[in-house]
Amino acid sequence: DDDLNESIQTNAPDVVVDLTAPEAVFANAKVVLSNKIPLVIGASGLGAEQVEWLQSYCADHAIGAAIIPNFSL
């Protein structure tokens, strides 16, 4: 979490695309969204409660996000 937050602060991305492992994606999403950066999640593994939390957080904070399981570049 600290490395991701530091990277966001250093690089100031316009958007983050997360293609990491299912174990990391929710924690990563919270870090990215807390920095008010739009997010594309391409990893699988999010549970229904996590998806609902992300939808609510994004709506409450007017941050764009897309969840596309098994997405690859």
Side-chain angles (χ1 to χ4, degrees), residues 17-19 25 39-46 65-72:
V17 178
D18 187 339
L19 301 173
V25 69
L39 174 64
V40 176
I41 296 173
S44 59
L46 289 172
I67 301 170
I68 309 165
N70 299 318
F71 175 77
S72 63

Side-chain angles (χ1 to χ4, degrees), residues 4-62:
L4 178 57
N5 195 50
E6 183 179 328
S7 181
I8 289 170
Q9 297 302 315
T10 301
N11 297 296
D14 294 324
V15 65
V16 171
V17 178
D18 187 339
L19 301 173
T20 60
E23 312 78 54
V25 69
F26 186 62
N28 290 346
K30 293 195 292 186
V31 171
V32 172
L33 296 174
S34 71
N35 281 282
K36 299 182 177 155
I37 306 293
L39 174 64
V40 176
I41 296 173
S44 59
L46 289 172
E49 288 181 16
Q50 292 171 321
V51 171
E52 289 176 21
W53 186 93
L54 292 169
Q55 289 172 329
S56 178
Y57 188 92
C58 288
D60 291 347
H61 295 88

